[in-house]
Amino acid sequence: YIFVVYLSFSMILAYMFDFLLVKYNTLRFKTVFIITIIALIIFQGRIAFADNDRHNHSIVKDFGDNILASMPPNSLFIAYGDSVGGALLYLQSLGIRNDIIFLHFGIMDRDWYIKNKSSFYPSVINEDVINSADLVTRMEMIFRHNLSERNIYVMFPNWKGRSPDFG
């Protein structure tokens, strides 16, 4: 509702300013009008920045740090969801715990994703995984191939008693 009120207020102000510009078509009024508009824009920008400034918020970094801190070096982590995957990929882009191999379960059935990950991690995803057709087979092959070499952690969402369709 606030957006509708704000939009209505802006339209009324625009109409009023247009009316006043037509009625008082002088250089002095135009100068005052332009300064007023610039002041309103700066004021609105300061308010919006103060409300939306998140540079001191570190929830994503803390969340990712907590997950990565719980894993030993050279672990394989398979997760579903952008909240987990985004946090881990963000930290790894900063150079934090690049020894952890992250696979996103939600797109592991996509051939392009598996081929891309196999080019980065050929010891984790072999040619058999790339050539397998379905997600269940791919997961099984990844587990069998890596279980003896590294710790594997899996994090799936809670489907509230419903069984997800893996195939």
Side-chain angles (χ1 to χ4, degrees):
Y1 295 116
I2 300 234
F3 178 73
V4 174
V5 170
Y6 182 73
L7 188 61
S8 301
F9 182 68
S10 299
M11 291 173 63
I12 291 169
L13 279 178
Y15 177 74
M16 285 176 31
F17 282 136
D18 184 54
F19 173 77
L20 291 173
L21 276 174
V22 170
K23 186 173 182 182
Y24 303 104
N25 195 7
T26 64
L27 180 62
R28 181 176 177 186
F29 181 77
K30 287 180 181 178
T31 305
V32 170
F33 172 72
I34 290 173
I35 291 172
T36 305
I37 293 296
I38 291 172
L40 285 173
I41 290 171
I42 291 171
F43 177 72
Q44 183 63 35
R46 287 187 53 90
I47 290 174
F49 181 78
D51 288 343
N52 296 303
D53 179 21
R54 305 282 190 258
H55 80 276
N56 286 330
H57 294 205
S58 61
I59 190 167
V60 173
K61 185 178 182 319
D62 293 343
F63 179 62
D65 280 338
N66 288 335
I67 292 172
L68 292 175
S70 67
M71 291 185 229
N74 301 317
S75 296
L76 174 62
F77 183 57
I78 301 170
Y80 184 90
D82 293 335
S83 59
V84 176
L88 296 182
L89 292 174
Y90 167 70
L91 289 176
Q92 288 185 334
S93 73
L94 298 176
I96 300 172
R97 293 299 306 267
N98 286 328
D99 61 310
I100 303 293
I101 299 167
F102 171 68
L103 298 176
H104 194 293
F105 177 77
I107 53 178
M108 282 182 64
D109 60 341
R110 308 291 196 265
D111 291 335
W112 61 266
Y113 181 75
I114 290 295
K115 287 177 184 173
N116 180 288
K117 287 296 182 178
S118 70
S119 67
F120 287 104
Y121 309 114
S123 65
V124 175
I125 300 174
N126 58 20
E127 195 68 31
D128 294 334
V129 174
I130 295 172
N131 295 329
S132 63
D134 64 299
L135 180 59
V136 175
T137 306
R138 282 184 177 167
M139 289 293 292
E140 183 181 353
M141 291 174 145
I142 289 171
F143 283 131
R144 287 187 184 188
H145 180 72
N146 291 287
L147 199 53
S148 62
E149 298 178 27
R150 60 184 48 88
N151 291 318
I152 300 175
Y153 296 88
V154 180
M155 184 174 163
F156 292 129
N158 180 5
W159 276 289
K160 299 183 185 189
R162 296 187 316 265
S163 176
D165 182 19
F166 288 154

